[in-house]
Amino acid sequence: MNKISKSLLVLLLLFTLGAGVASAAAPVFQDGGQEYIVQADDWLSKLADKNYGDVLAWPIIWEATNAKAAEDDSFAVIENPNLIEVGQKLWIPDTGAAEAMMGDRESKAGINIKIGFMGPLTGGAAFLGQEQLNFAKTAVQLFNERTGFNVQVTEGDTEINPDTGKIVAERFIADDSVYAVVGPAGSQVCEATQPVFEAAGMVQITPSCTRISLTDPGTATFFRPVPHDGLQGPTDANYMMNVLGVTSAYLVDDQSSYSTGLTDEVEAALTAAGATVERASVTQQDTDFSSLVTTIVASNPGVVFFPGQISSQLGTLAAQLQEQSYGGTYFLADGGFDISWVDTAGEAAEGTYLSFFAPDPHFVLQARDLTTRYEAQYGDYGAFGGPSALSTNVVLGAIERCFNADNLTRACVVEETAATNLADSVLGIPVSFGAGNQINGGEFFIFQVQDGNFVLVQ
Amino acid sequence: MAILNVDRLSKHFGGLLVVNDLSFELNEGEILSIIGPNGAGKTTVLNLLTGINPPDSGDIHFQGQSIVGLQPHQITKLGMARTFQTLRLFLNMSIIENVMSAAYPHTKKGLFDIIFRTSGWRKEEAQIRALAQESLSFFGERLVGYRFDQPAYSLSYANRRRLEIARAMATKPKLLLLDEPAAGMNPKETLEITELIGQLRDKGYTILFIEHDMNVVSGISDRVIALDYGQKIAEGSYQEVVENERVIEAYLGRKQSVWTKA
Amino acid sequence: MSVEKNTQPTNPESESSGDPRTGASPRAGDSPRIGVDEWVAQADERKQARSGFWGTIANRWETIPVFWRIGFVAFILILAPIVTNTTPVLSLLDISNNDFMVRVGATFLAFSILAIGLNVVVGYAGLLDLGYVAFFGLASYGYAYLSSDFIGAGVHVPYFISIPVVVAFTALVGYLLGSLAIRLYGDYLAIVTLGFGLLFFQLAQTLTRVRFFWLERPVDLTRGPNGINNLDAIPLITSRIEESIAYGYIYLFGSTFTPTIKYYFLFLIMLGLVVLVVHHMNQSRLGRGWRAMREDDLAAEVMGIPVRHLKLMAFATGAGIAALAGATFAAWQGNVVPIRYNVLALINLYAMVVLGGLGSLPGVIIGAFIYTLLPEILRNVVYATTLFYVGGLIGLVAWLEPSKRLVMVLGGTFLAGLLLKFLVNLLWPGFDTGVAPTEGFFLNQWAQSWLIIPANFTTAGNLAIGAGIAALLATVSIKNWWRYVFLGLTIYLFGFAWETRLAVEPSVTRILVVGASLVVLMITRPQGLLGKLRVEIL
Amino acid sequence: MDQLPQTIINGLTLGSVYALIALGYSMVYGILKLLNFAHGDVYMIGAYIGYAVLVVLVPSTGPLLPIPIIILVMFLFAMVGCSILGVAIERFAYRPLRNAPRIAPLISALWVSFVLQNLIQLTISPRPLSYGSGTLIPVNSGINLGGDLRIHTARVLVIGTTIVMMIALTYFIRSTKWGRAMRAVAMDIDAAAMMGVDVNRVIVVTFIVGSALAGVAGVLVGIVFFSIQHTMGFLAGLKGFTASVVGGIGSIPGAVAGGLLIGMAEAFASVYISVTFKDAVAFLVLVIVLLIRPGGLLGRLLVQKV
């Protein structure tokens, strides 16, 4: 046993030494090559085999074609490398160029780049964190395939506890190969980790902390590609008052940082506009709302607003409102953008309103690669993954640009992230950052559940 | 002079009258034994005296002061200590700690002294230790030396009984209440206990004890009280009591004397 | 380690103190026998338990005087953050700074203090107080009220006033709660205090709009789940000597420390003081009183020990220590959030105390150390994988001892795996093509070159977890040679489960591993690492 | 509208679920003096087993069997599955600790609970699963009680099942051989062993019965509150535990009374104080009841013998 204990120690030391970092190579781009029109029974790896004698060289054709397509409209844009259609025009680089590109890809693959992901990966909010994590992983997978990088996602469970969040943050910071961090969820965790990342000069980009104060004033390293409560609250309140014409509302929060923050904003906007407002809060562990519904029915408000995150709770409340014959409107926020609660609620979901800042990722064309890949690997998904993939793509883009500028450092990634300017994204919205590194624009859409689907109504 | 005055003490549990109108007194330096058949209420008398159960009525004066309504630890502090029929040692503590813990009522160093380990605290601690060693050495070689730091559960039954007495002595009592000190002991050990009780009196303790074993009672009692159904049925010297017809009847249900040999 | 101690029968060494050994008999069971002179009888056995590699170290360790032992540990703890900040250590661990390790270290120290407070209540006084985190939280909120912008324009009471006030107040609350709960015994006490703890958490989450009758507007008492932010820091340790003289800060030689290291040292100093105070309390009439009443509170009362008073003292002391840690912790983190004081935190504290051994100060600190460190190590997939395979091997060796059987089981499993892989590749080419997404660590690669990994392995991995647990249970409960077959199966299935599912989701696996090791430890060593097995029956 | 009748219905439903969980807690405590914190997760697993049966028997094309039979099958599988789980937990996590310090099995139980939760998260899904509000029992079905008041069929099912379980359990405890043995073991485990009662088997039977009840509770919660989640066991377990203590831990009618009291307290607190404080009120009820009656409503405190 002595030997084993000793050898364990030796082992532990050994593999900590193991991580070597290959040197970064400048990107190579050469013009030599030929056009090719896709025939029946072609696929990329077959073409690669024919041209280069290597089935594994297929991404070169893919990459080169997409690069050509950016300059020349006649070339096809291949979104899904597994699916090329007869008649598409491809660009096949000649052997020299291909070898250079292969070498380039290999050297890229040798670089140790990591993206940290932090969020609640266990416990009651795990469904949220896991969905975000898996979307980030899928986005990275697609990025790696496209560019030849070998970016890894390293995860850290925050348990939505700010203390744990700080520990995770410093673990990422201590690891030189981590260039950016996606996450966390929960505004109080964001607030706690903000100064830590600022001190380290590392990008932190959150898909789901929406408290206004985080980007007002904000820090140089904290990025938020999603709109905050200050936009959503008034939008929701406006819609309730002006479109639905209600004068009384019952607001329910689920005691999470996100939910209370948003409910506060809605409450403020409604009260300012002269509506009567009642307020209650439930916990995220609650499974039964019938007593809450009894009070709601007794005061009979025009609208029940519940910005919950746990889809099952949304469904249960909807069904129980119906069970006790509540006649008013049911109004949800981001958490409602998950079709599974509609399954739970059944017909009780009909007519429910909800607000979200992007179209339904299930139907966004730009996200099709992402969502099909995600569904194949992880199954069904809700509203939390889209923003996570968006955040991941933003930092991946920054990392790629820094690499191309031969300046892959955390400082450069911060600069490049701030300089992000995407006309389009997986959420179908443009992305650029304004004051406090808050996403520019940002508009909330109102959806309604009609025949079991989300239909855009504003 | 009477150290203990018990005046018309009564106690019932539910509908059962366990102690009924009991009065007796105990003089300083005396050995009083209480006898009686099972369920006669002997242990309850001890519980009433030590404050574990409050009496329904009646009064108890210890050294002229009424102790009814006082907490057990307050009564102990006044100078009354007891042992238990079913041994109640602090089994997982060491032998010497068992005894040292009982020095609590007559030591008084507070939190400040304890935390800063003042010279006063060290002196007191040394005194406690000395007292504990002295109490333990009362039983000869059995509980001293290397045994000090052994856990109490490692002791044999007889030694546990001795340890309980040593522990009671460490509270510096004037009056010792012993609840069946010879229960579960073999004849040799019983004899020894009897002698010990005598020695205890010589050391200045007043002793009240409850006993089944007539050999113990007969050897050393100055006075004997017999209880039946919580009532005092006889009082006097050992001889007087055991020859009392009511006592014999209570024990055997028939008129026959069996304890006349002593 | 505990496993080794229990399963190493070697020659008894002679005891040096010359105790008369009357009835030296082989151990009959785990619980001490009553009536026999156990202490003497166990002398050999206690020595036996201390052999082998770790036993030798433990024995050597015990020959060093206590003073030097404590000094040694303190020396290591003081030097640790400084040593880890040197280039060789950092490059060895492949990290760029030691903030992470120091933060974990400071968390460990803070939790040690908390666990020691809990140990006073549970370990010394024997009161099952499940509301302990409420005191931790109460003090944090108290500190937040006194030393932040929260109330009005901001009450910034300096720390050297606010912390004592908060500690005294929390101790008082502990005393009051104790006097309510003290009427109850054992589990009922536990339940009422648990109710109190849950009540505290709920109120911290929800007291955001309290209407006082003398005020018009509702008052936000806790800011709900967001908590109160921007608390004043404790400027206690300085590297500038003039500050040290002017404000009475503790001066530490010239280096510039990050805030985390400062708090590390602050917690270290506090831990030292708390250990000293608690140790002194325990080694006095007070501690003897506590232990006596834990053993038998009626007998203690009759021996003149004011049980009620001592129980309340224990409650108040525990609450006070929790408050000290709570206020400092809040100042370190700069915030108070309800989630820090939920049931999970309580369970963690209890696990630390029980893991180390109830009633043992070094045990509690070791418990806190392992319990803070283990989950952090498991965050890293590579470390977790090593721990899984090497730990599993050590577990097997400890269970079966190095023997022919062990070699046969391991060899058999290995060969069967290879054979299976060969057959599958022969019969269904293309089935064994999955590549589990691990970081290319050599243990993973070895395992995957031995296991059959189908292309779509997630469902198979989930099933393997269930089947692996079933096989493990079968291994433990079957007594004949079939157990070795099941053991091989268990090894294979868990290897498969690790490669396909567990290593893929390290965050969940972390909890599973911690949970499983705690349950196993409880079963093999119920008294904790340094605790003593107690006799609970008469 | 008068909220009282509806509040009572809400309280009864919730209370029935708590009562079913509390029974398991109470029985195990009565016999082993063990706070079985993993019980809430047995209940959670029961809900998941029910879900699995539901998915198999009600594919998207429509139910394969009549609804009452499907519900019965769900009960049956949940009961059997949970019993096996309960027995396994007892055998491997508690039995080795039977003579250990009291707190060791407590820690063991808590971590068994965490391990179960995370196993479900890992192997099934971290996402909540839906029983579907209309799949088994339509939301608008129910018995009209006059006026606006209607009691949902699922609630009738919950309350009815609880009553049936109560009666069956009382019969089991009072009149069967195993019931008598359980009472004997609860009274004095050592004496019962000496009188020839096979204590281990009695404990196994206790776990079987308690876990089966928890399984039923899990399925019922899925049916009446529509959705389940891997973390649902912890709070429900705490409430069930609270209920069993309030009622007097170790007492069967006490567990039911406690469950109903806690359920009612929550319902009334939600309606007449604020739903925000319903958990706080539940724990407050616990503290107050224990301070007034330290043995719980129907429990007895053991007398300390001197």
Side-chain angles (χ1 to χ4, degrees), chain D residues 42-43 45-47 74-75 78-79 82 210-220:
Chain D
V42 173
Y43 146 87
I45 301 271
M74 285 163 78
F75 280 158
M79 286 170 89
C82 288
S211 306
L213 291 174
V216 170
V219 174
L220 284 175

Side-chain angles (χ1 to χ4, degrees), chain B residues 10-229:
Chain B
S10 290
K11 175 74 186 173
H12 72 276
F13 290 117
L16 188 66
L17 201 56
V18 189
V19 175
N20 186 7
D21 208 20
L22 178 69
S23 304
F24 65 89
E25 60 182 44
L26 179 56
N27 296 318
E28 211 158 321
E30 198 181 16
I31 297 183
L32 173 69
S33 49
I34 298 180
I35 63 168
N38 277 332
K42 304 187 295 290
T43 297
T44 307
V45 172
L46 245 54
N47 288 349
L48 295 177
L49 290 179
T50 47
I52 293 171
N53 297 327
D56 295 337
S57 65
D59 208 347
I60 306 165
H61 286 268
F62 180 62
Q63 293 182 308
Q65 181 190 353
S66 170
I67 56 168
V68 169
L70 291 184
Q71 299 281 316
H73 70 264
Q74 292 167 321
I75 295 173
T76 308
K77 196 169 179 177
L78 291 175
M80 192 194 290
R82 71 170 283 186
T83 65
F84 295 91
Q85 179 185 356
T86 53
L87 289 164
R88 300 190 80 132
L89 285 169
F90 309 132
L91 287 178
N92 294 294
M93 291 167 76
S94 70
I95 286 169
I96 192 146
E97 272 205 319
N98 260 283
V99 184
M100 284 170 80
S101 67
Y104 197 97
H106 56 83
T107 48
K108 45 180 92 51
K109 287 289 172 254
L111 215 48
F112 180 85
D113 297 276
I114 287 171
I115 289 171
F116 293 99
R117 298 214 155 164
T118 58
S119 62
W121 175 83
R122 263 176 277 149
K123 212 178 286 169
E124 191 183 81
E125 198 74 356
Q127 280 166 7
I128 295 172
R129 204 170 178 87
L131 172 74
Q133 287 175 354
E134 188 200 319
S135 310
L136 286 169
S137 62
F138 181 66
F139 300 97
E141 291 298 303
R142 286 197 185 85
L143 298 174
V144 297
Y146 71 94
R147 285 210 178 238
F148 281 160
D149 293 323
Q150 293 179 3
Y153 64 68
S154 68
L155 290 178
S156 67
Y157 190 79
N159 274 340
R160 290 183 188 198
R161 285 244 174 256
R162 295 183 186 110
L163 180 56
E164 258 213 341
I165 294 171
R167 188 178 67 176
M169 283 160 65
T171 64
K172 291 194 180 167
K174 297 188 180 62
L175 171 61
L176 258 178
L177 311 176
L178 307 175
D179 196 347
E180 304 215 7
M185 292 198 161
N186 64 32
K188 185 167 159 266
E189 287 163 344
T190 306
L191 196 67
E192 202 184 299
I193 277 283
T194 316
E195 282 169 15
L196 266 175
I197 293 171
Q199 286 171 24
L200 283 172
R201 188 215 347 232
D202 299 343
K203 280 172 76 84
Y205 296 106
T206 309
I207 292 166
L208 180 136
F209 77 101
I210 291 173
E211 194 45 77
H212 248 106
D213 192 328
M214 286 306 152
N215 291 321
V216 184
V217 179
S218 65
I220 46 167
S221 306
D222 294 328
R223 219 144 43 87
V224 176
I225 291 174
L227 287 187
D228 192 23
Y229 293 110

Side-chain angles (χ1 to χ4, degrees), chain A residues 2 155 163 166 170 174 257, chain C residues 53 96 103 226 333 340 507:
Chain A
N2 306 355
E155 65 185 72
D163 308 344
K166 282 185 187 171
E170 283 185 342
S257 178
Chain C
F53 178 65
S96 56
R103 184 172 284 278
N226 296 320
Q333 298 290 351
R340 193 183 290 150
S507 301

Side-chain angles (χ1 to χ4, degrees), chain C residues 180 183-184 187-188 191-192 198-199 202 206 344 350 371 462 465 473 501-502 508 511-512 515 522-523 526, chain D residues 29 92 96-97 100 102-103 111 114-115 118-119 121-123 241 245 249 276-277 279-280 283 290-291 294:
Chain C
L180 265 182
R183 307 174 32 190
L184 304 164
D187 292 339
Y188 286 90
I191 292 154
V192 166
L198 294 171
L199 206 60
Q202 276 294 322
T206 53
L344 198 67
Y350 262 90
Y371 200 81
N462 288 339
I465 293 174
L473 299 190
R501 290 300 290 143
L502 296 170
V508 183
I511 294 185
L512 291 179
M522 278 297 100
I523 290 168
Chain D
Y29 187 89
F92 294 102
L97 291 173
R102 292 288 309 283
I103 199 162
W111 277 100
F114 280 118
V115 166
N118 283 283
L119 274 178
Q121 178 185 334
L122 187 73
T123 57
F241 168 55
V245 175
I249 198 159
T276 312
F277 299 112
D279 292 336
F283 297 125
L290 278 194
L291 290 179

Side-chain angles (χ1 to χ4, degrees), chain D residues 16-32:
Chain D
S16 301
V17 175
Y18 290 160
L20 283 177
I21 303 172
L23 282 171
Y25 259 115
S26 214
M27 287 168 68
V28 170
Y29 187 89
I31 287 192
L32 282 180

